[in-house]
Structure formats: structure tokens, C-alpha cells
Amino acid sequence: MKVSYFLRLLIVLPLAGLSLPSIAASSAQASASSFGRHIPIDQSVVTEHKTKINGKNVSYTVTAGTQPVWDALGEPIATLQYTYYKRDNVKDRAARPLLMSFNGGPGSASVWMHIAYTGPKVLNVDDEGYPLQPYGVKTNPHSVLDVADIVYVNPVNTGYSRVLPDKDGKMPSKDKQQALFFGVNADVKYLAEWLNTFVTRNERWRSPKYLIGESYGTTRVSGLALELQNRQWMYLNGVVLVSPTDLGIERKGIVKAANRLPYFAATAWHHQALSPALQQLDLSELLPKVEDFTINDYLPALAMGGFISPQQKQSIAEQVALYSGLDVQTVLDANLDIAPSYYWKALLRDKGKTLGRLDSRYLGIDEQNIGERPDYNAELTSWLHSFTPAINAYLRDELNYVTDVKYNMFGDVYPWDRTNNNAGRNLRQAMAQNPYLNVMIQSGYYDGATNYFDAKYSLRQLDPSGKMQSRLQFKGYRSGHMMYLRAEDLKQSNQDLRQFMLSTLPAKNQAAKYPLN
């Protein structure tokens, strides 16, 4: 005769001095503990892969894992998830560059450049960067993994990275978390400590080192350049700023207003909204004309404010309208200062379309054609189509990194302390202290959030002395914030990055010093 499990429990429990409810409660606690959703603090998974870059076979190893952030007492206070790509069969690892990659937000995971730009895999998108199904990744034949090892780092609360409870199991307060992680200066401080540990663990102290950041990541890596040098004694060969923010360099008021016009012109040209005479020019011919007008005519006119003469205002408005694709009356009604959000709504209003903010090649459709700004960001919704399923599937299916923790494309890092943002000045100081350090900016002409002419302005203001001009360079592309989503620019931007790293490796016996003359 068979005795059911439940009946056996009824027989055994009284003999053990236990009741069924107490066992159920104990079982529930064990179950909750066993199945809690937590990221491992210090763990990694290693996989081996092969690919082809620029027509040559490349084998590589990927380490996907977590590494702690420790406090002054050596207690883990956060853990950061990273993905580290290392080419195999390298004879001299000390001579091989290490590229350390960050995205921005703040609060964005380091996913965008990971699976769309520099890594060995890129999104399954069309040649202009639009989503395709099935979602996923494909081989990136242009990756810089052929010349540099790469680590992609997710800051706290992005990707799988998380703040940790203390030894008593309590989470730090919101104010304490902000002080530790969520601010311009707190951010670079803990990340510099983390990078020190990563470089030490992976035996990369002798390697040439490069930082690359995108969007707010450019503020991050600019600050890191000096923090690494002054607090970690780690010196860099290069910093790459992809679609940079202002870096703490002032460009408000009339400067910010004037600097938008070249972006407006590029966008109007792309959408064939300019006059036939301008439309027949190549973008490389058009933009220098607009830039010259912006600096020499438009900016001085804006500086006149309400004291500009009616004749000059009319003349400037006509030229701004010509270059922006808007009508003259609109420019006059705006007192020559066109808000970007209005431009995204207005340029193609007659066609019932709006423009994307981060990439104005992307088009949206609003409920109503009237209004001052688009209902949504057409480009961002398109990107999240592609990136979110791709990174989740790639980490789990190809890199064997399995967790039930949610991958935060955008994490909770607010309020973000933006005070004392001296990122640009700090980058300049790092360059002055380190003759090996070079900087390259990469910008898309159709980026309306961090427009390319703002980036040029920041580059020019980065070192007002002009003494380091030869160590600063700018590259522009016919796409937007993530220029690499366009197939042609994926190839070119990787080649520019590859050349930047190779050209900034010092020659044998080339000392880090300034000559007298």
C-alpha cells in the first residue's frame, strides 16, 4: 500500500515536534532565499570565438563577468558588469593597446558601442541603421579588435551592474548612493578605482591605454583621463570622444544658438529641403559655407540682440532661412534663434513628418501636425527595437552569461550631481601633463542633441593656448549620434579609430617630453 507524501508528513511532523504551518513557512523562506534575483559580485564566464576582420582571420577570447567596487575599508559597495575582448596568439601583449569603452546618459548601459561599433559583433540592421527582424547580431568585419583589446564597462545601475547592500543587508540611502556613484565627480572617482583593479587583474599595466566615450560618456572619459593620471598613476595614449557633450565648456546663449545652424543645414540638405542651388552642392561643399556664415555673420548678429537694425535682421533672417530650410518669417518671429525641438517639428511639417533628435535622418509621425515639438524621439524608439533584444540574446546565447537580473538599457541614476563639471579643463590638464596623450572627436552631421559644430567649438576651446593643436583632431560622418549604425560610416569610423590608435603609439625610444623649440 502506497502512502502519499502529504500523509507521511502528517505522520512524521508530530514526532519531530514540528507543525505543517512551520514547515511551510520555513520552506517559503528557503525558497525566497534560493531564488532571489541578485547579480554575482565577482564572477566571470570565458568563451572562445573566431571571426574575420578586414579580410583576415582573428581568434579571440571573451570574458563576461562582474568585478566589485570597494569602499575604503575594502567592503564591496557595488559590482560592475563588463565584457572583455582579447585577441588570441598575441606575442607581445605589452605592446598591444587596451581600449576602455563607456557610453553615457548618464544612466545608459555600455551597449551601443559594444554591439554596434567597435566590437566583433554588430546589430542586424539595414545599411542605414534601421531595425530588421529577426533581431540579433552579425559579424562586424570592421572591428578594431584586430589592433586593440577592448573592455566595455557598465557603470552602476546600468546593464547588469548594481549597488550592493551592506554587510547587514541594508541598501545605502539615495543620498549616499548619489555621493558614491551618481555625479560628475563621484562617477570618475569610483570608475578610476575599478579600472585600476581591472588593469591589474588582467596584467595590462604595460599596455598602451585608450579611453573611448560616447555622449555623456565623453564627460566621463575626459574626467577619467586626469583622475587616472593623478590618483591611479595610470597614463593614457588617447581619448576618443564620440558625439561629445559640452564637457563643462561654456557655450550657452548666443553661442549655442548660432552653433545649431550648420546642423540645421546638414539636416535640411539630407531631406532635400534646401534651394536647388544649395541642394546640388555636396555636403562637404555646403558645410564650410554655413560654418563661415555662422562665425562671421550669424553670431555677431545674435550678439546685437534687440539693437540689431531692421535691415540687418532681415538680411540675416534670409540667410538663416536659406541654410535651414525654414521660411524667413519663421526665423524673424523667433528673433533669429531657432529652438532645435521646433526645428524637428517644423522642417517637414508639410509632409506630416517629424525629425529624430539624436539622428535627424529618422522620421516620426505625430498625432497632429501643429505644435512646437515632436511627440516622441523617432530615432530612439527605432534603436531600442534593435539593441534591447540583441544584447540580451547575445550575452546569454553566445557569451554564456546567464542571469535573471534585468539588463538595464537605462538605469536609475538620478538625481545626477552635475556641479563642478570641469571635464574639459581636466582633459586639457591631462594632455599637458602627458605628452603621449592625444584626443580625437567623432561626430555625426545629423545629430541634433550633441551637434557637430558644438563639438568643433569644444575642440577649439579645449586648449585656448593652441599649444596642443597638433594632438587634437575631428572626424565627421554623414549620420547621427551613433554614426556607426550607417554601414558606410561603421567602416570609416572604425578605420579612423584604428588609425588614431596606431598613429599615437610612440616610436621605439620616443620619450614622453616636450622639446625646447
Side-chain angles (χ1 to χ4, degrees):
M1 179 179 176
K2 292 184 178 180
V3 180
S4 72
Y5 173 72
F6 183 76
L7 182 57
R8 288 200 302 268
L9 275 179
L10 291 178
I11 296 170
V12 172
L13 290 180
L15 296 176
L18 297 172
S19 67
L20 192 60
S22 69
I23 283 291
S26 175
S27 176
Q29 288 174 353
S31 177
S33 174
S34 301
F35 295 98
R37 193 166 68 168
H38 306 291
I39 195 75
I41 296 175
D42 199 346
Q43 187 183 68
S44 62
V45 178
V46 178
T47 53
E48 296 180 347
H49 307 263
K50 293 181 179 179
T51 191
K52 188 168 281 191
I53 300 174
N54 285 335
K56 296 181 179 180
N57 293 323
V58 174
S59 61
Y60 62 96
T61 299
V62 184
T63 303
T66 52
Q67 178 187 291
V69 176
W70 289 286
D71 65 13
L73 299 177
E75 296 294 330
I77 55 175
T79 188
L80 303 191
Q81 192 272 328
Y82 66 92
T83 311
Y84 176 39
Y85 294 82
K86 185 171 68 172
R87 184 172 182 174
D88 300 334
N89 306 314
V90 172
K91 293 181 179 178
D92 185 6
R93 192 72 62 181
R96 182 171 169 80
L98 173 64
L99 181 63
M100 299 171 282
S101 182
F102 294 90
N103 275 99
S108 171
S110 291
V111 55
W112 317 98
M113 293 195 291
H114 182 179
I115 58 167
Y117 184 11
T118 51
K121 298 287 186 177
V122 290
L123 288 176
N124 181 34
V125 292
D126 74 5
D127 284 350
E128 291 298 315
Y130 293 91
L132 294 174
Q133 288 185 336
Y135 300 121
V137 294
K138 58 188 178 184
T139 297
N140 180 7
H142 313 298
S143 169
V144 294
L145 185 59
D146 60 335
V147 298
D149 297 331
I150 315 167
V151 60
Y152 302 92
V153 185
N154 286 309
V156 170
N157 281 1
T158 73
Y160 294 132
S161 301
R162 295 294 188 271
V163 179
L164 297 176
D166 63 21
K167 56 186 177 182
D168 297 321
K170 296 180 179 179
M171 292 295 291
S173 68
K174 195 74 173 176
D175 288 345
K176 187 172 182 180
Q177 289 186 39
Q178 184 192 49
L180 288 171
F181 308 115
F182 304 140
V184 173
N185 296 297
D187 184 62
V188 299
K189 183 178 180 181
Y190 87 81
L191 287 173
E193 291 282 349
W194 190 94
L195 287 172
N196 184 310
T197 303
F198 178 85
V199 167
T200 300
R201 285 185 174 188
N202 291 278
E203 301 179 339
R204 300 308 300 262
W205 272 101
R206 294 196 300 154
S207 301
K209 299 171 192 68
Y210 294 82
L211 289 170
I212 182 170
E214 181 177 56
S215 196
Y216 183 83
T218 61
T219 298
R220 178 172 281 139
V221 299
S222 295
L224 274 170
L226 189 63
E227 182 74 14
L228 286 170
Q229 287 185 189
N230 286 0
R231 299 295 180 90
Q232 307 298 327
W233 310 286
M234 184 186 296
Y235 285 70
L236 306 171
N237 284 64
V239 173
V240 182
L241 308 176
V242 180
S243 304
T245 59
D246 60 16
L247 310 177
I249 297 172
E250 290 289 340
R251 56 181 192 220
K252 297 179 180 178
I254 61 171
V255 171
K256 192 165 188 64
N259 281 358
R260 298 173 189 138
L261 185 59
Y263 150 71
F264 289 162
T267 299
W269 180 88
H270 175 78
H271 291 293
Q272 300 188 7
L274 297 178
S275 67
L278 293 180
Q279 206 63 58
Q280 70 180 2
L281 298 175
D282 186 70
L283 194 61
S284 62
E285 300 173 299
L286 171 66
L287 291 183
K289 295 178 183 293
V290 184
E291 292 178 13
D292 181 72
F293 169 77
T294 297
I295 293 173
N296 296 311
D297 298 286
Y298 189 28
L299 183 59
L302 288 169
M304 292 295 295
F307 286 79
I308 189 172
S309 70
Q311 295 81 5
Q312 186 183 9
K313 186 174 184 178
Q314 179 69 30
S315 175
I316 294 295
E318 290 174 359
Q319 198 65 32
V320 169
L322 184 69
Y323 286 145
S324 67
L326 299 176
D327 63 82
V328 176
Q329 191 58 50
T330 294
V331 179
L332 287 170
D333 290 344
N335 294 322
L336 309 181
D337 180 1
I338 309 297
S341 55
Y342 179 82
Y343 189 77
W344 303 325
K345 181 75 173 183
L347 182 68
L348 301 180
R349 196 191 300 268
D350 62 335
K351 294 180 171 61
K353 299 294 193 298
T354 62
L355 306 179
R357 170 177 174 263
L358 292 158
D359 191 331
S360 293
R361 296 175 305 140
Y362 290 73
L363 301 179
I365 51 173
D366 283 357
E367 183 178 0
Q368 296 182 335
N369 284 347
I370 62 170
E372 300 295 311
R373 61 175 59 243
D375 292 348
Y376 64 100
N377 293 330
E379 79 297 338
L380 190 58
T381 56
S382 175
W383 296 342
L384 290 171
H385 254 286
S386 309
F387 279 93
T388 308
I391 189 63
N392 278 278
Y394 175 59
L395 288 171
R396 179 176 285 261
D397 299 344
E398 297 195 34
L399 302 188
N400 294 335
Y401 193 82
V402 178
T403 177
D404 287 333
V405 171
K406 184 174 73 172
Y407 189 94
N408 286 338
M409 298 293 287
F410 300 100
D412 181 11
V413 302
Y414 295 98
W416 188 268
D417 183 3
R418 297 180 183 271
T419 59
N420 299 316
N421 180 4
N422 296 308
R425 292 180 62 187
N426 290 345
L427 178 56
R428 188 218 167 270
Q429 185 63 26
M431 293 180 69
Q433 293 175 193
N434 178 7
Y436 281 157
L437 181 54
N438 290 261
V439 172
M440 178 173 72
I441 285 180
Q442 296 181 297
S443 286
Y445 295 126
Y446 309 131
D447 179 0
T450 57
N451 77 68
Y452 90 90
F453 204 56
D454 270 345
K456 280 190 172 183
Y457 179 86
S458 293
L459 187 73
R460 291 163 179 164
Q461 301 302 316
L462 191 65
D463 176 38
S465 74
K467 295 174 183 176
M468 295 186 287
Q469 189 177 137
S470 64
R471 292 156 60 193
L472 299 165
Q473 56 181 285
F474 175 89
K475 300 292 182 181
Y477 306 92
R478 299 186 184 205
S479 44
H481 197 71
M482 295 193 285
M483 69 289 300
Y484 42 80
L485 288 178
R486 181 171 174 258
E488 184 177 326
D489 291 322
L490 173 67
K491 179 179 181 179
Q492 187 59 54
S493 57
N494 270 291
Q495 183 55 33
D496 289 339
L497 177 56
R498 180 181 288 106
Q499 185 58 37
F500 174 73
M501 288 190 286
L502 294 176
S503 66
T504 52
L505 294 174
K508 188 177 181 179
N509 298 323
Q510 179 184 341
K513 65 178 183 180
Y514 293 115
L516 183 60
N517 297 314

